[in-house]
Amino acid sequence: MSATLLNGKKLAEKKREEMKKEVSALREKGIVPGLAVILVGENAASKVYVRSKQKACEEIGIHSTLTEMPDTISEQELLQEIDRLNNDASIDGILVQLPLPDHISEQAVIERISPAKDVDGFHPINIGKMMTGEDTFLPCTPFGVVEMLKEANIEFEGKHVVVIGRSNIVGKPVGQLLLNENATVTYCHSRTRNLPEITKQGDILIVAVGKANFVGEEHVKPGAVVVDVGINRVDGKLCGDVDFNQVEPVASYLTPVPGGVGPMTITMLLHNTIQSAKQRG
Ligand code: GUN
């Protein structure tokens, strides 16, 4: 058996075409969706991500602004910029690119963003709403994963989902979203014992550990759906957290890197920004 590849790039393109129409309808009503991005410091990967987010906005007609701040700014200065954007009626979404320099509290920054403009879905109020299953901004990468699986008609009800990774951005919320879809969810992490024994029970295995080629065939139940959230660079080449060559013959479905989950993250950010613009007022 060899896995069917889940094409995130194609789904992202389809969704963005639909969003383009939605944005142009909003513009006709005088509403131009606006996303404000704040970038602190010189992190090369962050610069690339921020540029991609702005380009994606431009392509579908979302207005975007960029505030670049040196890594010497104080937490107070960053919080003041967030306050300014919270009060700017032309801005529907605020995104502070993470990570931040060590002297700035990421949690304080996340909590300063108005929950109504938190298109990353990181504010504790929005995380709480996600947990209780209320309508809210969902974190973009987990949201993109669920959308990809739904597009492939993969069922969640009663399925055993095993998540490797427990970050606030991906691991924890992706498990929560699939729990909301009636899956049975197990979390594994760096302190988990007998990892392959547990991951091999997963009907759906979601890998978000940030280590190149970490998951091999010994971790995967034959016929499992495997979602690779990793983006790593090895010898200048992009690769995921899953060893593609080992896992592709074993899995039923697999997300490739690049072209899998990655393009969906920005797509769901655009989605959240449009939803926020619709709720203006
Ligand atoms: N850094 C890595 N991923 C993300 C993300 O989804 N949002 C923000 N703001 N920063 C990130």
Side-chain angles (χ1 to χ4, degrees):
M1 193 169 62
S2 77
T4 300
L5 300 186
L6 296 174
N7 191 332
K9 188 161 177 273
K10 197 164 143 210
L11 178 58
E13 279 164 12
K14 184 173 111 180
K15 284 189 177 290
R16 290 185 201 189
E17 280 307 312
E18 288 162 10
M19 287 178 197
K20 224 185 241 182
K21 292 182 198 139
E22 234 178 333
V23 171
S24 101
L26 281 170
R27 279 175 168 257
E28 273 171 30
K29 286 197 272 182
I31 297 172
V32 180
L35 175 70
V37 179
I38 301 177
L39 174 63
V40 180
E42 301 293 328
N43 183 308
S46 289
K47 282 188 176 184
V48 173
Y49 290 135
V50 162
R51 215 174 300 130
S52 309
K53 287 170 186 179
Q54 291 210 285
K55 185 165 164 272
C57 283
E58 195 186 309
E59 279 167 7
I60 68 157
I62 293 178
H63 166 67
S64 79
T65 66
L66 174 63
T67 308
E68 284 186 276
M69 302 177 114
D71 55 15
T72 49
I73 57 148
S74 65
E75 186 175 303
Q76 201 52 38
E77 285 171 290
L78 177 53
L79 295 177
Q80 276 168 9
E81 175 64 3
I82 293 170
D83 288 343
R84 184 183 73 76
L85 294 165
N86 279 338
N87 292 314
D88 182 339
S90 71
I91 293 300
D92 300 290
I94 301 171
L95 182 147
V96 180
Q97 187 65 29
L98 304 176
L100 291 170
D102 289 344
H103 68 280
I104 298 176
S105 157
E106 284 188 357
Q107 202 53 31
V109 166
I110 287 168
E111 291 185 22
R112 192 66 159 246
I113 297 170
S114 161
K117 296 191 178 188
D118 169 38
V119 286
D120 257 330
F122 292 167
H123 192 287
I125 286 185
N126 290 326
I127 293 171
K129 286 186 174 177
M130 176 189 66
M131 289 201 76
T132 52
E134 283 171 76
D135 192 19
T136 189
F137 296 122
L138 301 176
C140 301
T141 300
F143 191 7
V145 167
V146 173
E147 289 292 300
M148 272 179 91
L149 296 176
K150 283 185 175 171
E151 177 74 7
N153 293 315
I154 289 161
E155 289 182 3
F156 306 125
E157 188 155 321
K159 294 287 176 66
H160 190 180
V161 171
V162 177
V163 181
I164 317 181
R166 54 172 162 176
S167 69
N168 289 335
I169 293 182
V170 182
K172 281 183 206 166
V174 82
Q176 183 64 52
L177 291 182
L178 291 167
L179 177 63
N180 292 355
E181 300 281 347
N182 300 316
T184 300
V185 179
T186 300
Y187 288 97
C188 301
H189 46 79
S190 53
R191 311 287 168 87
T192 297
R193 295 180 193 166
N194 308 324
L195 185 69
E197 202 175 286
I198 298 169
T199 59
K200 259 202 137 136
Q201 295 173 30
D203 302 307
I204 300 173
L205 179 61
I206 303 195
V207 190
V209 286
K211 289 185 185 152
N213 301 322
F214 179 80
V215 164
E217 60 186 329
E218 73 279 14
H219 294 96
V220 179
K221 173 159 107 173
V225 174
V226 179
V227 177
D228 186 353
V229 185
I231 300 179
N232 310 289
R233 210 170 268 279
V234 175
D235 301 330
K237 207 167 155 247
L238 283 186
C239 71
D241 292 348
V242 174
D243 186 324
F244 186 90
N245 292 331
Q246 279 195 30
V247 171
E248 191 268 342
V250 183
S252 59
Y253 290 89
L254 176 60
T255 64
V257 177
V261 175
M264 290 302 293
T265 295
I266 295 183
T267 304
M268 302 330 289
L269 172 69
L270 302 174
H271 169 92
N272 284 349
T273 305
I274 296 168
Q275 292 309 307
S276 181
K278 283 185 183 166
Q279 288 156 18
R280 248 188 219 186

